[in-house]
Amino acid sequence: MYEFNRAGFGIRFFASIIDMFILIIPISILLYFIQGEFSIEWSDGYLWDIGYVIYLTVLPVLWKGYVIGKRLMGIKIKRTDGGDVTFTNMILREVVGNGLLVLVTLGISLLISAVMVLIMEDRHGLHDLIGGTYVIHTR
């Protein structure tokens, strides 16, 4: 296994918050054109979920493991062998590990992942294990 300076829960959490705020504006504008009114209420539809999953799945492959929040926080996603992530890694990580598994377990897997990242030495969450990834510090 390739050794990294692994990122912990706090920095990963703040990177996710940054990404959510960055995406609020363009998705809200898109909803305006679709629904005819400006709203940040995304619970009625799946546009937010679809947009966020595409962002989290495609951008790291194109940008060598980064999304905007992770880049700003100085962390990135790598494969466990040290290589750059692929679409397969990111689909397994985000769609299966952070999506389907969370739905099937009614959110319990998300809590387990958070605890794993907080207390495990290797800082793997369930989604990292499923996707074959780590989140590492780049600074």
Side-chain angles (χ1 to χ4, degrees):
M1 187 178 300
Y2 198 84
E3 287 298 316
F4 294 115
N5 182 11
R6 297 172 188 99
F9 178 80
I11 197 163
R12 291 167 75 159
F13 176 77
F14 285 117
S16 295
I17 296 296
I18 291 169
D19 287 325
M20 283 193 302
F21 280 112
I22 287 172
L23 292 177
I24 284 173
I25 294 170
I27 290 176
S28 295
I29 291 169
L30 185 59
L31 282 172
Y32 172 78
F33 287 109
I34 291 171
Q35 297 175 348
E37 64 182 75
F38 184 77
S39 173
I40 57 171
E41 301 268 337
W42 302 306
S43 59
D44 298 340
Y46 296 100
L47 185 61
W48 169 256
D49 296 329
I50 293 167
Y52 200 55
V53 167
I54 290 170
Y55 171 79
L56 292 174
T57 304
V58 174
L59 191 57
V61 175
L62 299 176
W63 205 12
K64 307 248 185 239
Y66 289 106
V67 289
I68 296 168
K70 282 182 174 54
R71 172 73 89 175
L72 292 173
M73 296 303 293
I75 59 177
K76 73 189 245 179
I77 306 165
K78 294 288 275 184
R79 289 193 331 238
T80 54
D81 67 2
D84 290 329
V85 293
T86 64
F87 281 113
T88 302
N89 293 120
M90 296 312 298
I91 287 169
L92 288 170
R93 184 179 200 271
E94 298 302 333
V95 176
V96 177
N98 274 337
L100 297 175
L101 186 61
V102 172
L103 286 173
V104 168
T105 64
L106 303 175
I108 294 170
S109 66
L110 188 62
L111 296 174
I112 292 170
S113 279
V115 170
M116 288 173 67
V117 172
L118 275 166
I119 66 171
M120 302 285 286
E121 186 178 339
D122 66 5
R123 304 287 187 227
H124 266 114
L126 289 174
H127 58 292
D128 290 314
L129 292 172
I130 291 168
T133 60
Y134 282 112
V135 177
I136 62 164
H137 289 277
T138 58
R139 296 180 189 158

